[in-house]
Amino acid sequence: NDVSLREQSIVLIGFMGVGKTTIGKAVAKKLYRDFIDIDEEIEKKYNMPTSEIFNLYGERIFRQTEKDMIIDSCKQKLKIISVGGGAFLQDEVREACMSHCIIFFLDLSWDSWKERISLLIDSRPVLQGKNIDQIKQLFYNRQPIYEEHHSRVVTDNLPVDEVADYITESLK
Ligand code: S3P
């Protein structure tokens, strides 16, 4: 890896709706870096919301695009990148991010997360058609994939700015 540690991009991972985009923007602002939201890039490419991409092209195509974009973005220097909650299920995505970037897992407890469910359900195809127990299961099934990544940031009850400060401070 020829990019120095100080120039490595930062990748934010974690379950849907934990605040990767909001916190990513705040971190980018503090560090004067560019922010890349992978879901937003995918939506721009197809010129439609994620849920329509899932409906029209299927999840497989979405995942392929997501993978290509992350592998490309994570090799760039000095970016703050927010990736979708399912991105790290793909081996190649994990491997690319682990070798090129600094990864932070934004961890929110299930109890806090479930308060946000109604805000998320319409825009998150992965949640649709599932009952609360199935969603809870998905939440807990994915935790170990995120937890594998050393820098865990517990975000419960913390304002965005404090989480962003914590991340920028821990880079020093
Ligand atoms: C997904 C998470 C979403 C988005 C897509 C699939 C997932 O991103 O990529 O709806 O499988 O967890 P967020 O984590 O930003 O909600």
Side-chain angles (χ1 to χ4, degrees):
N1 185 355
D2 52 4
V3 178
S4 88
L5 219 57
R6 300 179 62 86
E7 293 191 321
Q8 277 186 337
S9 289
I10 294 169
V11 172
L12 301 181
I13 64 168
F15 202 63
M16 284 163 264
V18 296
K20 299 182 293 285
T21 300
T22 312
I23 291 162
K25 282 182 183 161
V27 172
K29 202 169 166 193
K30 282 181 198 292
L31 296 175
Y32 304 98
R33 293 192 188 188
D34 291 331
F35 173 67
I36 303 174
D37 182 71
I38 297 294
D39 283 330
E40 195 184 311
E41 295 301 314
I42 299 170
E43 292 184 341
K44 270 195 243 164
K45 176 175 171 167
Y46 288 90
N47 193 29
M48 61 181 80
T50 300
S51 54
E52 270 184 55
I53 303 172
F54 267 65
N55 278 337
L56 218 57
Y57 298 99
E59 179 169 354
R60 206 180 61 80
I61 297 292
F62 177 87
R63 296 297 178 199
Q64 181 69 49
T65 310
E66 177 179 51
K67 182 177 79 187
D68 294 343
M69 281 187 176
I70 296 172
I71 290 175
D72 183 56
S73 304
C74 77
K75 290 176 186 161
Q76 297 176 34
K77 290 186 212 171
L78 298 167
K79 306 288 186 225
I80 310 298
I81 306 165
S82 138
V83 305
F88 265 47
L89 299 172
Q90 304 195 69
D91 296 346
E92 288 166 83
V93 169
R94 278 202 312 277
E95 281 156 20
C97 291
M98 286 187 322
S99 55
H100 298 286
C101 302
I102 301 167
I103 301 166
F104 287 93
F105 160 35
L106 302 186
D107 190 11
L108 187 69
S109 68
W110 166 255
D111 284 333
S112 301
W113 186 85
K114 73 175 175 359
E115 304 295 324
R116 304 183 179 185
I117 197 161
S118 60
L119 299 169
L120 299 168
I121 200 104
D122 290 338
S123 56
R124 303 305 199 280
V126 172
L127 301 178
Q128 283 156 22
K130 288 190 174 71
N131 65 34
I132 189 78
D133 289 334
Q134 289 167 320
I135 293 173
K136 187 175 180 179
Q137 195 172 14
L138 182 70
F139 183 94
Y140 282 107
N141 282 345
R142 284 183 174 185
Q143 283 306 94
I145 297 160
Y146 307 133
E147 272 167 4
E148 200 185 305
H149 302 279
H150 40 286
S151 302
R152 186 163 82 125
V153 187
V154 178
T155 61
D156 279 81
N157 305 317
L158 285 183
V160 170
D161 216 49
E162 268 181 48
V163 180
D165 276 338
Y166 175 85
I167 292 173
T168 55
E169 287 300 313
S170 67
L171 296 170
K172 289 175 183 163

